[in-house]
Amino acid sequence: MLKGISSLISPDLIKILMEMGHSDEIVFADANFPAASHAQRLVRCDGHSIPELLEAILPLFPLDIYVDHPAALMAVTPGDPVETPVWDRYKSIVAKHDARPETFEEIERFAFYERAKRAYAVVSTGELALYANIILKKGIVSEP
C-alpha cells in the first residue's frame, strides 16, 4: 500500500499507468467488452466499476492537452434504444480534472474495437452499464 493512492489501483494497474507515455491510450472496458482478445496488455479489475476507477486514477493521470478529445466513448449503435447515463458520470468525473467543454468524442463500435487493439492497455472491469467503454489519452506531466 502507498499513501495517497487509492486501494482500487492494483499494483498491475499502477505499473501500466507509470509505463505509459504521452499520447498512449488506455481503455477502461465494461464487463461485456472482448478485453482479452483485444488487449496488448490486460489488467483485470473485475468487481470494480469504471466510474470508481476513473475517480481513483484521474488525480494521477494527466489527460492530453494537445488533442481536442482526450476521452473517447463507444457510440451507441444506430437503432439501439439503450440509454447511457454512465456517460454523464464520466463527464462529471473528467470535468474535475480537465476543464475543456468538449473533452469527449464518440466512436462507432467497430472503430472503437480497432482503436482499443492499438491502445497501450485494456483494463477489464466489472462495469455492467451498456456502452460504458472509455478510452483515455495520456498527457504530460511538467514542472509546476
Side-chain angles (χ1 to χ4, degrees), residues 1-133:
M1 295 298 296
L2 297 172
K3 292 169 68 175
I5 296 179
S6 170
S7 61
L8 294 176
I9 302 176
S10 68
D12 291 338
L13 182 53
I14 196 77
K15 177 183 181 291
I16 290 292
L17 296 174
M18 291 290 296
E19 288 174 346
M20 291 175 67
H22 179 232
S23 80
D24 279 341
E25 294 185 328
I26 189 166
V27 178
F28 285 85
D30 64 34
N32 292 301
F33 190 84
S37 65
H38 283 63
Q40 293 185 47
R41 294 162 195 85
L42 179 62
V43 178
R44 304 291 318 195
C45 287
D46 303 288
H48 296 300
S49 71
I50 294 175
E52 70 182 343
L53 288 166
L54 293 178
E55 290 276 11
I57 70 144
L58 283 173
L60 310 171
F61 187 91
L63 293 173
D64 195 339
I65 61 170
Y66 298 108
V67 297
D68 290 334
H69 306 287
L73 301 166
M74 179 185 283
V76 174
T77 300
D80 190 340
V82 70
E83 298 289 325
T84 56
V86 73
W87 291 5
D88 293 331
R89 292 188 63 198
Y90 294 172
K91 290 173 183 177
S92 174
I93 294 164
V94 169
K96 297 176 194 174
H97 305 279
D98 190 307
R100 289 178 279 181
E102 296 296 324
T103 308
F104 290 82
E105 66 179 314
E106 292 181 27
I107 301 173
E108 185 272 333
R109 178 178 156 212
F110 293 105
F112 189 100
Y113 288 147
E114 289 305 311
R115 189 161 161 187
K117 288 178 184 177
R118 297 187 307 273
Y120 188 81
V122 175
V123 179
S124 181
T125 73
E127 181 61 57
L128 294 176
L130 300 178
Y131 295 98
N133 307 298

